[in-house]
């Protein structure tokens, strides 16, 4: 059974860079036809897709975040990562990693989520 | 950019009620729409994909319909486990925009 697990610091100061890693188990990140993505959810609010990556390195990002986001993949570790720079309090959220098929396909697997708080 | 709206934002219902949630897209998305259920403190769970296809393991009391820009999620007989927030998501393009959510709570 596919499992995704987020890891990374839970507390950041404004202007710092958020770095999270998603470790995939029970499957291979190199599986053809699947993208690996990040979604965030501010406390008490809705879901916002951040971006996704294919094992080859092909990425696409939410235009509203594109200037601050980098998603990368490490196939040797079966992991993919998120970097979001210049964070502010508005970036406080639960961050989920997830899997979806090539467009058009929905998200079919999610990590449990990790809360990242931005506070001075 | 495609925008997604949902109505109502909150719905109060009783066990056994038939519940309908509407999702609208600002542009044509064919049937590339998914519905997710989220309970507090947990990740969303896929219920319906391609507007009307039930994900494996999801109870048959859930159903979806629609195409183009207007979609509905129906729960035929609400069960205690169904009190949650429901989100639609379009996946017609790379923006993957979600609707704002509909919270179903106990009347």
């Amino acid at each position: 059974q596919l499992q995704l697990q987020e890891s990374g610091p839970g507390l950041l100061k404004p202007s710092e860079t958020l770095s999270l890693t998603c470790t995939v188990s029970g499957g291979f990140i190199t599986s053809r036809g699947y993208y690996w993505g990040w979604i965030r959810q501010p406390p008490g609010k809705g879901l916002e897709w951040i971006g996704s990556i294919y094992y080859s390195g092909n990425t696409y990002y939410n235009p509203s975040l594109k200037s601050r986001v980098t998603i990368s993949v490490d196939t040797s570790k079966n992991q993919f990562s998120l970097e979001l720079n210049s964070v502010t309090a508005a970036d406080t959220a639960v961050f989920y990693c997830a899997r979806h098929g090539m467009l058009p396909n929905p998200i079919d697997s999610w990590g449990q989520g990790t809360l990242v708080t931005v506070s001075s | 950019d495609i925008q997604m709206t949902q109505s109502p934002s909150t719905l109060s219902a009783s066990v056994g009620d038939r519940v309908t949630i509407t999702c609208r897209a600002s542009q044509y998305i064919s049937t590339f729409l998914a519905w997710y259920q989220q309970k507090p403190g947990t990740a969303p769970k896929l219920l319906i994909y391609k507007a009307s296809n039930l994900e494996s393991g999801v109870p048959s009391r859930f159903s979806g319909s629609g195409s183009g820009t207007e979609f509905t999620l129906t729960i035929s007989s609400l069960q205690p486990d169904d009190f949650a927030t429901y989100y639609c998501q379009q996946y017609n393009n790379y923006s993957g925009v979600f609707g704002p959510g509909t919270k179903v709570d106990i009347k």
Side-chain angles (χ1 to χ4, degrees):
Chain A
Q1 169 131 3
L2 187 75
Q3 291 190 326
L4 297 89
Q5 178 68 58
E6 305 88 353
S7 58
L11 181 62
L12 292 172
K13 290 182 168 50
S15 81
E16 291 185 334
T17 295
L18 179 156
S19 295
L20 295 175
T21 295
C22 182
T23 300
V24 178
S25 58
F28 295 100
I29 206 165
T30 52
S31 297
R32 292 184 185 275
Y34 288 105
Y35 271 77
W36 306 89
W38 292 94
I39 297 100
R40 69 178 182 177
Q41 185 172 36
K45 297 188 178 180
L47 300 160
E48 181 180 35
W49 172 75
I50 299 170
S52 298
I53 190 165
Y54 197 58
Y55 77 90
S56 63
N58 186 48
T59 54
Y60 57 96
Y61 301 122
N62 183 330
S64 68
L65 296 169
K66 188 175 182 178
S67 64
R68 297 196 292 133
V69 171
T70 302
I71 297 176
S72 58
V73 64
D74 187 336
T75 56
S76 68
K77 294 182 179 178
N78 225 32
Q79 294 176 336
F80 62 105
S81 298
L82 169 70
E83 285 196 344
L84 178 66
N85 59 38
S86 304
V87 298
T88 69
D91 294 310
T92 294
V94 174
F95 285 77
Y96 296 99
C97 60
R99 183 187 81 168
H100 62 89
M102 284 187 168
L103 280 185
N105 276 287
I107 299 167
D108 63 4
S109 292
W110 298 72
Q112 65 184 27
T114 187
L115 175 63
V116 178
T117 302
V118 181
S119 174
S120 55
Chain B
D1 293 355
I2 298 176
Q3 307 297 322
M4 306 298 292
T5 59
Q6 286 182 236
S7 60
S9 56
T10 304
L11 189 160
S12 296
S14 301
V15 172
D17 284 353
R18 181 181 181 87
V19 165
T20 298
I21 299 168
T22 298
C23 174
R24 290 185 174 87
S26 61
Q27 300 175 29
Y28 177 82
I29 58 169
S30 184
T31 56
F32 299 124
L33 182 104
W35 289 97
Y36 302 88
Q37 177 194 66
Q38 187 180 34
K39 297 179 181 179
T42 69
K45 170 189 170 185
L46 179 64
L47 298 176
I48 302 280
Y49 62 95
K50 212 160 184 292
S52 61
N53 291 271
L54 200 66
E55 175 72 347
S56 176
V58 174
S60 59
R61 62 181 179 272
F62 291 92
S63 64
S65 65
S67 67
T69 61
E70 187 156 335
F71 304 87
T72 59
L73 172 70
T74 300
I75 309 172
S76 60
S77 177
L78 198 65
Q79 298 303 300
D81 192 46
D82 302 338
F83 292 98
T85 300
Y86 294 84
Y87 294 93
C88 61
Q89 184 209 16
Q90 71 83 15
Y91 52 93
N92 184 55
N93 64 23
Y94 288 104
S95 70
V97 176
F98 291 90
T102 295
K103 183 177 181 181
V104 177
D105 63 20
I106 300 173
K107 195 176 209 178

